[in-house]
Amino acid sequence: MLHVSVKPEILFYISNFPITNSYLATILTLLIFFILAYNYNSAKLSGKQNTLTTLLDFVQEQLYTYMKGITKSYVTILYPLLGSYFFFIIISNYLGLLPGFGSITFKPEIKAEHSAIEQIQLEPKTNENSLPFLSEFFKTKEDTDISEQKNQNHETVHLLRGPTADLNTTIALALISVFIIQYYGIKINGAKNYAKKFFNTSSAMMFILGLFELMSEFIRIISFSFRLFGNIFAGEVILMVIAFLIPYFASFPFLLFEFFVGFIQAFVFTTLSAIFIMQAIETQHH
Amino acid sequence: MQDIAAAIAIGFGAIGPGIGIGLIGAKAMEAIGRNPDAQDKIQTSMFLAFAFAEAIAIFALVLSFIIKFVK
């Protein structure tokens, strides 16, 4: 059956900390990151050149030259962050396309540690005044909700899910990005000059434009996170739906498209972060 | 009702970005035709603008998923 859930499903709890299926995949991403970095570092330190160093050198050189074109003289400060964004997002996107992601399901018995109040509410309310067979007609919405809630503990759950197909990951990345934009704007321009961009008191129209600028800073969080989440999650859903309709090789063209989309989204996230940081650093002088 | 809402959300939400992406591609091709040496730069900027325009369609898609799959 087809199980699509926008929320990532909780697999188990480690003493009140929920571990979701995309959290497992994020840990896998970090492991891959560390293994790549360790092998690259040890090969570079001993002076050898194997395929891994050649490949990573090529990718890094392209990315560094491109970032240098955007960020000009600040590339030495900004490249660690932007390079990390690129590699993390692209590894996350491609990890969600491996076999096993989205296809291994199981029915967990979640022994969630509910608080005492929740446990009282989870027991269905019995209406003792009515006749037993009439209670079916007088079921309120709360009764059906509670029975659904009890059934939810036994739904099938995917074991693994792409890390960026989880809105939590993308919102975290977007928050880091927007925070870094403000941080570098304030650090290089000074807090007063940077605040003048938003609270421009030269004329009434510029003041309203400044407020719009402030609002668009917050909208950027949603734009960053939903762009990445939407592309990757929609790709996952399309692959699942097509595989559900036509079992064998029909999802292959969509898989190729997902490779392209994964690369483009990582590239766009990095480039947009770089462009916005440069906009914040070099504020225009009206 | 939820199904209809989800279909309408993505149906109307994909009109604008579709036209937008077509315009971006057309202008990019025109620019490349005029100046074939700048093809790399134009192609990179085209992909960037394409991702912006597609993001709007993706917002509509995510909303339709939320409407359909979240009770």
Side-chain angles (χ1 to χ4, degrees), chain A residues 28-270:
Chain A
L28 269 178
T29 312
L30 288 180
L31 273 178
I32 293 180
F33 217 2
F34 280 134
I35 292 176
L36 281 180
Y38 180 72
N39 284 337
Y40 182 82
N41 198 24
S42 57
K44 278 286 186 182
L45 282 179
S46 63
K48 296 189 292 202
Q49 277 278 87
N50 54 6
T51 40
L52 183 67
T53 53
T54 323
L55 180 69
L56 282 181
D57 277 343
F58 170 67
V59 173
Q60 295 240 20
E61 191 178 318
Q62 299 287 327
L63 193 62
Y64 189 80
T65 335
Y66 187 70
M67 287 296 133
K68 198 164 181 183
I70 300 179
T71 57
K72 303 186 193 74
S73 63
Y74 294 97
V75 65
T76 45
I77 314 175
L78 292 175
Y79 183 71
L81 177 73
L82 299 173
S84 307
Y85 270 148
F86 182 77
F87 280 109
F88 180 74
I89 297 179
I90 205 169
I91 293 179
S92 297
N93 293 349
Y94 285 169
L95 201 69
L97 299 175
L98 288 181
F101 279 77
S103 44
I104 306 180
T105 59
F106 68 104
K107 283 193 209 275
E109 308 247 341
I110 303 177
K111 283 199 222 95
E113 287 154 29
H114 290 294
S115 60
I117 302 178
E118 280 182 87
Q119 275 194 334
I120 294 175
Q121 284 173 347
L122 276 178
E123 294 159 7
K125 291 189 277 216
T126 54
N127 206 346
E128 291 132 352
N129 289 337
S130 65
L131 297 170
F133 66 92
L134 275 183
S135 67
E136 284 281 15
F137 295 95
F138 293 112
K139 256 196 196 154
T140 57
K141 185 171 179 295
E142 283 174 276
D143 289 346
T144 41
D145 272 358
I146 288 170
S147 54
E148 267 184 37
Q149 211 174 354
K150 271 186 142 175
N151 284 337
Q152 264 175 11
N153 284 334
H154 299 281
E155 268 186 0
T156 44
V157 149
H158 295 292
L159 179 61
L160 288 169
R161 179 175 164 144
T164 31
D166 174 7
L167 196 56
N168 302 312
T169 313
T170 52
I171 286 187
L173 288 170
L175 281 174
I176 296 175
S177 198
V178 170
F179 174 72
I180 290 286
I181 292 172
Q182 308 309 315
Y183 175 76
Y184 277 112
I186 294 179
K187 176 175 167 183
I188 294 190
N189 279 327
K192 276 203 166 195
N193 277 341
Y194 190 66
K196 269 197 194 144
K197 190 168 84 153
F198 299 126
F199 301 106
N200 197 346
T201 50
S202 58
S203 74
M205 194 185 81
M206 299 304 289
F207 185 65
I208 299 200
L209 276 183
L211 287 182
F212 269 124
E213 288 265 332
L214 185 64
M215 192 186 70
S216 90
E217 292 286 328
F218 287 103
I219 299 287
R220 266 180 210 159
I221 303 176
I222 300 188
S223 155
F224 269 134
S225 57
F226 270 92
R227 182 184 300 119
L228 184 57
F229 167 69
N231 271 297
I232 307 302
F233 179 63
E236 270 196 10
V237 169
I238 284 187
L239 286 176
M240 258 197 277
V241 166
I242 301 266
F244 177 65
L245 295 176
I246 310 176
Y248 287 105
F249 302 106
S251 347
F252 184 61
F254 292 99
L255 196 67
L256 292 180
F257 184 65
E258 281 307 302
F259 272 107
F260 175 66
V261 164
F263 171 72
I264 289 281
Q265 287 312 308
F267 178 70
V268 160
F269 194 97
T270 316

Side-chain angles (χ1 to χ4, degrees), chain B residues 6 9-10 12-14 55-65:
Chain B
I10 186 54
F12 279 117
I56 310 292
I58 297 294
F59 294 167
L61 185 65
V62 167
L63 203 68
S64 89
F65 278 148

